[in-house]
Amino acid sequence: MGFLLGAYGKLAAGSRYRSLQARMMRIQSKLRRATRDVANMEKMIDRQQKSMEQSLTATSSATKSMYSQIMQAGMMGSAEYTTANTKLQAYYSDPEKNKLSETELQAYTNTISQTNAKYSSITSQMTSMLDTQTAMSKTQIENYIENLRDTLLEPLKDEEDSLQLEKDTLESQIQVAKADYEACQKMEQSDIKMLAPNYTGGQG
């Protein structure tokens, strides 16, 4: 009886073990593909975020440079600034030849200072507005990337987690089936030994 139970149990456990192994191969293949998809999607999203942020930084830097050039051109285009700048440069290069009275010197110096302060203030205001706009654009980029992660990446990660859980469950089932197979095999072999005829008995 033990022999039959062992043989039948071994066949059933072996069949279950092979079926589980086949399922495991399919799950492993799906899991590898899912893991690869997750990695590729993460790289794609990271590249897109980096590209968008680099573009934003480059645009901001170029705009600030343009502001500086516009302000410089504006100052140079001011007749009072140009006259004062020319007079002061000539005076400081050769004070004896290009004499200026204290009143003239103070007036030209004040013109330069006031013009610099005026255009510096305008530049500062424009730069501040640009920084605010850049910060808002960066937030929009972050929100866009977060949305990509939620809609494109998270479903792939969920699938990967689900397959990993299924793989872990199968590994446990395979271990149980293997243990059952080995137990039934031992039962079968043990009963075979008990059923084997004894040819070593003595003669009377």
Side-chain angles (χ1 to χ4, degrees), residues 20-46:
L20 291 170
Q21 284 282 39
R23 281 180 59 192
M24 175 62 80
M25 291 180 66
R26 291 193 295 272
I27 292 299
Q28 286 175 331
S29 178
K30 289 181 179 179
L31 181 57
R32 283 193 297 270
R33 186 165 57 250
T35 300
R36 184 172 62 249
D37 289 345
V38 167
N40 289 338
M41 183 59 70
E42 284 182 330
K43 288 179 182 177
M44 186 276 286
I45 293 175
D46 288 345

Side-chain angles (χ1 to χ4, degrees), residues 63-174:
T63 304
K64 287 181 179 180
S65 178
M66 181 185 68
Y67 286 168
S68 178
Q69 292 172 10
I70 291 174
M71 292 302 104
Q72 189 69 21
M75 283 195 301
M76 294 305 173
S78 168
E80 289 185 352
Y81 179 88
T82 302
T83 299
N85 192 45
T86 301
K87 292 288 187 181
L88 288 176
Q89 285 184 353
Y91 171 76
Y92 287 119
S93 64
D94 190 347
E96 289 300 321
K97 182 180 178 182
N98 305 293
K99 290 182 179 181
L100 291 175
S101 66
E102 284 295 326
T103 302
E104 288 176 322
L105 182 61
Q106 187 62 49
Y108 291 143
T109 301
N110 288 342
T111 296
I112 294 295
S113 297
Q114 290 170 4
T115 305
N116 279 331
K118 173 186 175 182
Y119 281 95
S120 177
S121 176
I122 295 173
T123 301
S124 179
Q125 291 176 22
M126 294 173 71
T127 300
S128 179
M129 290 174 61
L130 176 63
D131 287 341
T132 300
Q133 185 177 10
T134 300
M136 291 173 61
S137 296
K138 187 174 182 181
T139 299
Q140 290 176 345
I141 290 174
E142 290 172 351
N143 291 338
Y144 171 73
I145 293 299
E146 187 64 28
N147 184 60
L148 282 185
R149 293 185 182 279
D150 289 341
T151 57
L152 299 181
L153 183 59
E154 285 307 314
L156 295 178
K157 283 188 172 183
D158 290 343
E159 182 184 4
E160 183 185 26
D161 291 342
S162 176
L163 289 169
Q164 182 62 55
L165 178 61
E166 188 171 355
K167 178 176 176 289
D168 293 341
T169 302
L170 276 175
E171 285 177 346
S172 298
Q173 293 176 354
I174 287 172

